[in-house]
Amino acid sequence: MLYLLKRSTRPLSHNYGHDRGDPVDRVYIEQFLTEHRALVRGNCLEIKDTRYIDQFGNGDVVNAEVLDIDRTNPSATMFGDLQDLADLPSNRFDCLIVTQTLIFI
C-alpha cells in the first residue's frame, strides 16, 4: 500500500504543459507521423483542423484543407461525411491524415 502512495499521479502523457496531458493514443499517432513525415506533402487533407499537417508537413505542403461534418467549424474548408464519399472530391489530395475518426463511421 505504501508503494502505491509514493507513485506519481502525473498524467501518462508526452506533453506535461496541459493540465491533464494529452491522450496516450496521441503518442502513438505522433510517433507514426514522425516516421512517415516525408509523405505529408503536396495537397493535404486533415479532419477537423490542420494540427498534424502543420506539425509534420515541413515545407512540402502545397495546400492544407480541413474536412468536417460540423458546419460551425471555422477551420473547415470543406464539409462532408466520410460515410458518403460522393460529397468529396476525388483525385484531389496527395495526403490524407485521418486520425481518431474511423471509430465514428
Side-chain angles (χ1 to χ4, degrees):
M1 181 72 159
L2 186 57
Y3 170 77
L4 293 176
L5 294 175
K6 290 183 179 182
R7 300 282 305 187
S8 170
T9 58
R10 187 171 59 182
L12 178 60
S13 170
H14 69 288
N15 185 356
Y16 297 112
H18 294 84
D19 289 343
R20 297 186 62 204
D22 287 340
V24 71
D25 59 342
R26 295 244 185 231
V27 173
Y28 298 105
I29 291 168
E30 292 178 10
Q31 181 179 32
F32 176 86
L33 289 169
T34 297
E35 293 171 10
H36 297 89
R37 73 179 331 133
L39 299 174
V40 183
R41 58 182 168 69
N43 292 311
C44 298
L45 175 72
E46 190 167 351
I47 308 299
K48 208 110 178 123
D49 59 35
T50 59
R51 172 184 181 150
Y52 291 132
I53 292 173
D54 296 340
Q55 186 174 348
F56 296 100
N58 297 324
D60 298 329
V61 174
V62 174
N63 186 37
E65 302 242 13
V66 174
L67 172 68
D68 200 340
I69 196 169
D70 180 4
R71 293 192 175 274
T72 64
N73 180 354
S75 299
T77 58
M78 60 177 43
F79 299 98
D81 188 342
L82 289 177
Q83 295 182 77
D84 185 9
L85 296 178
D87 291 344
L88 304 176
S90 61
N91 299 321
R92 180 171 170 180
F93 299 102
D94 303 302
C95 174
L96 298 163
I97 299 179
V98 183
T99 61
Q100 299 174 316
T101 301
L102 297 178
I103 58 172
F104 299 107
I105 294 179

